[in-house]
Amino acid sequence: MRVKIRDLVTKLKAVPRQRWAWLSAGVGGACLVFGGWWNSLPLFGIGAVSFALGALWILGWRTSRAAPAAAVAAPAAPAVVQQPRAPVAPEDTEGLVEQMLAQGRYALMLRPQVVANLSPAHRDRTRDELTEQMAFVPAGEVELGPWDEHSINPKEEDDDAHKSVYRVDAYYLDRYSVTNRQFLEFVMAGGYEQMALWDAKILPAVIDFVDQTGSLGPRYWRHGRYHEGSEDQPVIGVSWYEAMAYARWVGKRMPTDAEWVKAACWPVPLGPGSRMQRRYPWGDNMDRERANIWGSGPGRIVSVTEFGSGVSVGGVYQLVGNVWEWTASNFGAGGYGRPELVLPNPMKSVRGGAFDTYFDNQATSQFQSGENPIARRYNVGFRCALGACDVSFSDNGEAAEPEAELQEAGA
Amino acid sequence: MIKEGTLHLDSYRLASYAVQVPCYICGGGNTFDAELCRHCCAPMALAHQANTQKVRPRMVAAIGTSGVGKTVYLGMLMDMLSRMPDRLQLLARGAFSITLQQITTAALSRGEFPDKTPNEPDRWNWVHAQVRAQKQRHPVDLIMPDMAGEALLEEIEHPRSYQVIRSLLSQCGGVLLLVDASQLGSGTLEQDYFAMKLLSYLIELDEDPKTGWPSRPIALIFSKADEREDCFIDPAAFAARHASGLYRLCQERFREVQFFASGVAGSCAYRNVPKLGRVRVPLRVEPRGIIEPFEWLIGRIKS
């Protein structure tokens, strides 16, 4: 008996909604007629309610059929409300330093020309901020390409044809991708209106770098603000030019392809012309617990501090997975990777894979993809770099490499 | 000189040959050991597998123009569902059912799109798989072929030139109709016309309002939508803007139509190939909107 009832319920559930609607309207209509015929108020009332419900259902169903809902809906979380920082008087050095630290612009204060003017306390705080936020990558050689060993036919191709060796100077790389919270500082400080930060050729397009509501800002924001709960997620929906402008504003720059790969592969010299490079930041084998790629994570962008076990030797998080990262280099330049490709338009190199990268071999340290520099994609973010020669660690403003970090890095 | 010997009469073989095995797609009789149906070229393994099960497999077809992305869509769908069975679980029945996903993923991971599906039905890849949705108690058996777009066009222009297409589409519980979003977005109406032809052809096959195509589910998928981000935001609005003829036809003639957007390659470039000319290549693979249309379709296919 129980099984029969269950079968009946299953069958009833399988009846399409529009049939229920028509049934409800039909029965309601019949009750209305007979209720009126027999002067039965309860029957007439039930009929009226049933008919109205059925009619509304049908109307709703028709409307939804005429304009079906979007298969991929835009995020609907409310935007964060945050007030711009109060302006600081030029003579208020203390306030100015505090504001620049809060905005993440410590790199500007460590310039050799500026650092000598800071008080010892401010100097120490700024240096601490640098070492906390950025990882040191020692100078050395790095080999770029091929992006996948299996993509080369050993019978036809020379093994070295797709490789290039680059010399990289010592530099610092952001430990985390630039977050929404950090990018908001740039937006609130009027970064989109400061023409000096932008490439001259892109100026006409800057007014088109708007969010969902038409305010200047990353593509997926609303009213110039990020969505609540996404403050520690990497900023996405920014073009290569917006990333460059942000980097300039914080006193940094974008890493080149070679710099990015060096931080991820962490090459160890074995002898003249030979070196050992890691396929992934943590080693040579893919471990899906360590990166947010397709099938390993929640299927969306996560906070920049998650997947801590995938950290690189130098202490850089999420070099692989979560979001692709813009680099300063052109895609297809340098003779490594896939030189046979014909590009529809000049592209910039993106690296590292994203939360929806499907294949493991496209989430390696070596894999390079290209993207239109003006594109504002849902899975492309960036992180910044800073040349070691551009910061000073001595009180007299001389640029020097931090010895302690060099030793730690094994360089 | 006369030599004597004994010739075994394998009467059971004669008996087997005498019994015709009907093709699951066209119903034509075949010998028990035929690999492909001699009438429509569908694999006879489908019939043999169907005979061993209690429930008759249902059919779903992916249709669209040549180069619209049917092979990539079906191959990725199969691979995604078999690798991550959170929403829908897919288990291939028979080794031949895995070939499509193998070919597709091997090509994509090499940074290439799979080769064009040949026009000859005997060279098509067929999928026979068991699909189980999370909410469903009983799994569904599905048959899905990867048909050539040019063969579809030929069948529409000259009906009965491809018996397998006609038989299959007559019996399908629903279709995944793929339309190239990048072409539509660029203002070319060819995709609009071809999709309208396909839908009109379906109506011609069975126009019964209760059991025919007007009431069968059609998932209209805008493929290559990664090149048209606005398509992902509202596929129906995209259809109304860029394929008004198709949109109007869907509204007037079909009761179960839903619009979707899908994309596999995050970014594309080109490669010059001798004899083929400029060939599109994916710069990375990040599938979007692949499972949603299939999930919707499976939920609406009538038993």
Side-chain angles (χ1 to χ4, degrees):
Chain A
M1 183 65 184
R2 202 171 161 184
V3 175
K4 278 183 182 174
I5 290 171
R6 197 180 290 169
D7 287 347
L8 184 68
V9 170
T10 313
K11 278 180 185 172
L12 287 175
K13 275 185 180 175
V15 176
R17 276 188 301 173
Q18 55 266 38
R19 280 200 193 162
W20 281 117
W22 284 111
L23 188 70
S24 172
V27 171
C31 288
L32 269 175
V33 171
F34 286 112
W37 185 269
W38 293 329
N39 280 336
S40 168
L41 194 63
L43 193 63
F44 191 81
I46 290 167
V49 171
S50 176
F51 183 77
L53 279 176
L56 285 173
W57 211 347
I58 291 164
L59 282 173
W61 158 57
R62 289 266 175 189
T63 315
S64 69
R65 191 164 66 94
V72 181
V80 164
V81 180
Q82 194 170 333
Q83 297 302 319
R85 293 183 187 282
V88 181
E91 61 274 13
D92 181 9
T93 317
E94 182 91 9
L96 206 59
V97 170
E98 290 298 333
Q99 188 184 64
M100 290 184 80
L101 281 172
Q103 288 176 328
R105 303 172 76 192
Y106 48 86
L108 285 169
M109 293 190 287
L110 286 172
R111 290 289 162 106
Q113 305 89 326
V114 182
V115 72
N117 300 324
L118 295 178
S119 68
H122 281 149
R123 208 157 37 223
D124 291 344
R125 273 190 62 195
T126 313
R127 285 171 192 164
D128 289 348
E129 192 69 15
L130 174 79
T131 48
E132 196 177 305
Q133 296 296 328
M134 301 189 87
F136 181 72
V137 182
E141 288 186 338
V142 62
E143 191 177 287
L144 268 67
W147 64 275
D148 185 9
E149 299 82 19
H150 305 296
S151 66
I152 293 177
N153 183 350
K155 288 179 184 169
E156 294 173 4
E157 302 277 354
D158 175 11
D159 264 4
D160 294 330
H162 294 265
K163 295 177 184 174
S164 295
V165 176
Y166 285 80
R167 167 84 196 169
V168 172
D169 290 333
Y171 79 106
Y172 290 90
L173 183 66
D174 279 351
R175 290 188 193 276
Y176 309 103
S177 301
V178 173
T179 62
N180 282 311
R181 192 203 303 267
Q182 289 171 322
F183 202 83
L184 181 62
E185 295 286 353
F186 169 73
V187 175
M188 287 198 306
Y192 280 87
E193 287 102 37
Q194 295 178 34
M195 296 299 114
L197 297 173
W198 299 83
D199 285 359
K201 64 178 179 185
I202 203 66
L203 283 177
V206 174
I207 51 167
D208 200 30
F209 290 151
V210 292
D211 64 14
Q212 303 285 303
T213 57
S215 305
L216 289 167
R219 182 177 181 171
Y220 299 101
W221 288 15
R222 295 184 69 82
H223 305 293
R225 300 289 184 270
Y226 54 82
H227 297 281
E228 206 175 308
S230 66
E231 56 270 20
D232 292 327
Q233 290 176 9
V235 62
I236 50 162
V238 286
S239 65
W240 183 83
Y241 295 103
E242 288 165 277
M244 285 290 279
Y246 174 86
R248 284 190 191 120
W249 183 71
V250 293
K252 300 178 187 175
R253 60 178 173 79
M254 301 267 275
T256 63
D257 245 356
E259 285 175 337
W260 194 98
V261 175
K262 187 162 193 309
C265 287
W266 206 262
V268 177
L270 297 176
S274 95
R275 63 202 64 77
M276 189 191 77
Q277 298 194 167
R278 290 156 178 261
R279 192 170 156 81
Y280 301 97
W282 54 83
D284 281 335
N285 297 316
M286 171 47 97
D287 181 350
R288 288 181 156 258
E289 300 281 306
R290 294 173 188 255
N292 182 21
I293 58 173
W294 192 91
S296 74
R300 57 175 170 78
I301 293 170
V302 297
S303 157
V304 293
T305 52
E306 289 187 38
F307 289 88
S309 57
V311 71
S312 74
V313 179
V316 184
Y317 285 72
Q318 293 178 1
L319 275 168
V320 162
N322 212 20
V323 289
W324 291 94
E325 293 174 11
W326 289 113
T327 71
S329 305
N330 291 328
F331 176 70
Y336 51 85
R338 305 174 73 184
E340 78 280 9
L341 294 181
V342 180
L343 304 181
N345 47 306
M347 286 182 168
K348 291 292 176 186
S349 167
V350 291
R351 288 195 175 261
F355 68 96
D356 55 353
T357 296
Y358 195 72
F359 296 112
D360 291 357
N361 70 347
Q362 297 186 356
T364 62
S365 307
Q366 282 288 356
F367 184 80
Q368 182 195 36
S369 185
E371 191 54 75
N372 185 344
I374 210 103
R376 309 172 85 210
R377 303 275 298 175
Y378 68 97
N379 61 354
V380 181
F382 68 101
R383 73 177 77 219
C384 301
L386 181 64
C389 59
D390 293 328
V391 291
S392 173
F393 279 84
S394 62
D395 297 346
N396 57 9
E398 285 177 13
E401 289 184 353
E403 286 179 19
E405 288 193 48
L406 277 171
Q407 283 170 2
E408 192 183 316
Chain B
M1 198 175 84
I2 297 169
K3 282 188 176 179
E4 289 185 0
T6 310
L7 179 67
H8 293 286
L9 185 63
D10 293 339
S11 54
Y12 70 94
R13 278 182 175 271
L14 292 173
S16 298
Y17 277 109
V19 177
Q20 295 278 294
V21 180
C23 168
Y24 193 75
I25 305 299
C26 70
N30 291 273
T31 55
F32 78 101
D33 57 355
E35 190 184 344
L36 299 171
C37 170
R38 64 193 170 92
H39 306 281
C40 71
C41 297
M44 286 303 294
L46 298 172
H48 297 310
Q49 284 170 358
N51 288 339
T52 60
Q53 286 147 33
K54 291 175 186 171
V55 185
R56 281 177 67 80
R58 298 173 204 174
M59 288 183 236
V60 167
I63 55 177
T65 50
S66 176
V68 77
K70 296 181 293 295
T71 305
V72 171
Y73 179 83
L74 283 177
M76 281 304 292
L77 176 73
M78 291 278 298
D79 201 57
M80 289 172 80
L81 293 181
S82 53
R83 279 174 65 182
M84 204 167 76
D86 288 356
R87 291 152 72 177
L88 283 173
Q89 188 191 59
L90 187 140
L91 293 169
R93 284 198 187 276
F96 71 94
S97 295
I98 300 172
T99 310
L100 178 62
Q101 77 187 82
Q102 184 188 6
I103 290 170
T104 308
T105 54
L108 288 173
S109 67
R110 277 199 312 271
E112 295 166 5
F113 284 116
D115 292 337
K116 216 169 105 174
T117 305
N119 283 354
E120 298 80 21
D122 56 338
R123 293 170 65 193
W124 293 350
N125 287 307
W126 290 72
V127 174
H128 182 195
Q130 185 191 68
V131 182
R132 182 198 292 266
Q134 255 189 349
K135 291 174 186 172
Q136 281 179 332
R137 282 173 59 206
H138 301 292
V140 180
D141 262 48
L142 273 186
I143 290 173
M144 293 184 286
D146 175 29
M147 296 185 285
E150 283 173 12
L152 272 164
L153 185 63
E154 182 72 14
E155 168 61 23
I156 291 169
E157 300 289 350
H158 308 286
R160 297 178 202 283
S161 54
Y162 281 86
Q163 181 60 37
V164 64
I165 294 177
R166 194 174 185 82
S167 305
L168 180 93
L169 291 180
S170 303
Q171 299 176 62
C172 269
V175 291
L176 301 153
L177 171 55
L178 280 88
V179 183
D180 190 326
S182 63
Q183 278 192 33
L184 276 181
S186 65
T188 316
L189 288 175
E190 201 178 326
Q191 289 286 317
D192 190 17
Y193 295 137
F194 190 83
M196 285 197 290
K197 275 185 176 180
L198 274 171
L199 290 179
S200 305
Y201 176 78
L202 292 180
I203 289 279
E204 280 173 28
L205 284 179
D206 190 349
E207 53 188 332
D208 187 292
K210 285 182 182 171
T211 59
W213 278 105
S215 64
R216 292 188 209 173
I218 295 170
L220 210 148
I221 307 165
F222 292 110
S223 62
K224 303 176 191 175
D226 36 72
E227 294 175 24
R228 299 286 314 188
E229 274 289 317
D230 55 329
C231 187
F232 274 109
I233 295 165
D234 191 348
F238 182 85
R241 269 198 309 274
H242 299 284
S244 49
L246 175 66
Y247 185 74
R248 181 70 44 206
L249 183 69
C250 291
Q251 296 297 307
E252 298 295 329
R253 305 289 294 276
F254 298 91
R255 285 205 295 276
E256 288 274 3
V257 178
Q258 180 72 291
F259 295 90
F260 296 92
S262 79
V264 170
S267 182
C268 282
Y270 297 93
R271 190 161 53 95
N272 288 319
V273 178
K275 293 181 183 174
L276 292 176
R278 222 164 72 139
V279 175
R280 213 163 151 261
V281 290
L283 294 182
R284 54 181 183 268
V285 174
E286 39 197 36
R288 287 169 85 186
I290 301 290
I291 297 176
E292 289 83 357
F294 185 70
E295 199 175 18
W296 176 86
L297 193 77
I298 290 297
R300 275 160 183 79
I301 289 180
K302 292 167 189 169
S303 51

